[in-house]
Amino acid sequence: MIRIHNSLTGQKEELRPIKSGEIRMYLCGDTVYDYCHIGHARSAIVFDVLVRYVRRRGYTVTYVRNFTDVDDKINASALARQQAGDPRSLEALIRERTEETIGWYHADMDALGAMRPTSEPRATEFVGAMIAMIEALIAKGHAYAAEGHVLFDVRSYPDYGQLSGRSVDDMIAGARVEVAPFKEDPMDFVLWKPSSDAEPGWDSPWGFGRPGWHIECSAMSYELLGASFDIHGGGLDLQFPHHENEIAQSCCAHPKSQFAQVWLHNEMLQVDGKKMSKSLGNFFTVRDLIEQGFAGEVIRFVFLSTHYGKPMDWTKERAQDAEKTLRKWRKLTAGVAAAKTMPACVLDPLCDDLNTAGAIAGLHSLL
């Protein structure tokens, strides 16, 4: 059987699809304002292996990974180009930037050997669905409008904090929360916010504006996978507040649903033993590594050499070792037909919480 560590319960659990023979998955994708950094790429590679594996096991898989194409960083990037002298409208510049960035993302994922998902929804295509979900939350008493904003009432959902294992009061004491006069509670989060004439926006019952970040994934997953689906994933940094907020608003909008049955979170990525950050000068995009001469399959191999649930350290030495291994394996298997069955030393680790490091160890044992 396939067992996966469920972040919601903190335990490894047998994967039991809601519908026999079918598995539906949702992965939080990129905000498309720049090149994809290697931390985000790790999530894409983990899910790519998971999708390939469960399909090999005979399941029909629907895999959704979104693009966030409405965001303040995207707006800022387009505005900077306009201020630099580009005569086109902000809307046209935003569209050009997101199209360009999605193209970069696809090229980088292709280089890493990651298959395209079943569906790649863009947030801007589902604003109507977001407005409908917000209206449902207001009608059910879980959200309120204030000064052109709509906010989710966190206290209205008793199970809030279950995924991250913290109470609302603990979160307020230990977290940085945006304090605004229109909030009824410091932890309430934005579902809708007003846009100025110079910002992108849509007409809504609460005025001209745009959706908050969290409502996007709830609306898109509902439209494409239904109120309940099998696996939701992303980096551990998304567990709170993004995924916690997704659960709250989705379960309140559709109270008879269970939303995601399993939550899969990959650990963070480090560079030379340190947290990746621009301030430390160790921030890399996938494109950076490729331009430095690292092949996509080498990058992928380094990622998969560490279990997704453990911090992964990118070093030049690890990449060089991975390249040597791949060259050796390629030479050994030249002209050899692929096996029709997967050896147990490779299959068994993958059954056990997608242990790719164990599967690679199995491949080494076959030498």
Side-chain angles (χ1 to χ4, degrees), residues 23-307:
I23 294 179
R24 288 168 291 160
M25 307 181 184
Y26 186 92
L27 175 65
C28 290
D30 262 28
T31 300
V32 286
Y33 67 94
D34 208 340
Y35 287 105
C36 174
H37 68 67
I38 57 177
H40 284 164
R42 189 183 190 192
S43 295
I45 295 301
V46 168
F47 254 64
D48 185 63
V49 173
L50 180 60
V51 170
R52 290 174 183 272
Y53 174 58
V54 294
R55 281 180 177 159
R56 188 179 179 94
R57 293 292 300 271
Y59 290 97
T60 299
V61 179
T62 302
Y63 170 29
V64 177
R65 183 184 65 212
N66 75 295
F67 286 121
T68 295
D69 60 345
V70 51
D71 181 84
D72 290 343
K73 290 181 180 178
I74 298 172
N75 299 344
S77 175
L79 185 61
R81 295 170 74 176
Q82 193 178 63
Q83 292 173 341
D86 197 310
R88 289 174 293 172
S89 68
L90 195 66
E91 182 180 20
L93 290 169
I94 288 172
R95 184 67 179 177
E96 181 181 76
R97 183 62 170 178
T98 55
E99 289 289 343
E100 180 181 45
T101 307
I102 288 171
W104 295 341
Y105 184 86
H106 281 152
D108 291 344
M109 291 304 106
D110 290 348
L112 297 179
M115 296 185 299
R116 302 283 170 89
T118 312
S119 180
E120 292 183 295
R122 303 184 187 194
T124 52
E125 298 170 345
F126 289 82
V127 174
M130 296 172 204
I131 291 174
M133 183 174 281
I134 294 170
E135 288 179 313
L137 288 168
I138 293 174
K140 290 175 167 55
H142 295 292
Y144 57 92
E147 299 182 22
H149 296 75
V150 180
L151 296 108
F152 184 86
D153 179 2
V154 168
R155 302 279 182 180
S156 74
Y157 181 57
D159 290 334
Y160 190 84
Q162 189 176 30
L163 181 65
S164 53
R166 293 177 288 178
S167 71
V168 175
D169 291 328
D170 288 341
M171 292 177 191
I172 292 174
R176 296 177 181 175
V177 292
E178 180 187 356
V179 178
F182 49 79
K183 281 189 176 186
E184 294 180 1
D185 188 282
M187 288 302 296
D188 292 349
F189 57 88
V190 172
L191 300 173
W192 188 265
K193 55 188 175 182
S195 292
S196 68
D197 293 338
E199 294 174 316
W202 292 260
D203 291 325
S204 80
W206 318 286
F208 186 70
R210 57 196 191 278
W213 175 35
H214 311 299
I215 195 69
E216 296 176 10
C217 288
S218 285
M220 288 186 281
S221 64
Y222 174 72
E223 293 293 320
L224 297 170
L225 298 175
S228 300
F229 54 95
D230 299 292
I231 303 174
H232 194 315
L236 189 62
D237 58 324
L238 297 180
Q239 187 179 60
F240 180 83
H242 184 52
H243 290 162
E244 196 77 73
N245 292 351
E246 274 191 73
I247 291 173
Q249 61 202 9
S250 294
C251 290
C252 288
H254 310 287
K256 294 183 179 180
S257 74
Q258 65 185 87
F259 194 41
Q261 181 171 269
V262 174
W263 285 86
L264 186 153
H265 290 101
N266 61 275
E267 256 285 4
M268 296 297 95
L269 185 145
Q270 300 174 333
V271 176
D272 294 322
K274 297 179 181 179
K275 181 180 178 180
M276 188 174 69
S277 71
K278 291 182 179 178
S279 61
L280 293 176
N282 63 352
F283 181 92
F284 295 108
T285 65
V286 174
R287 188 63 56 91
D288 288 334
L289 295 182
I290 291 173
E291 290 179 350
Q292 288 174 21
F294 296 107
E297 62 183 343
V298 170
I299 300 170
R300 182 185 181 98
F301 192 93
V302 174
F303 284 5
L304 297 180
S305 296
T306 300
H307 186 271

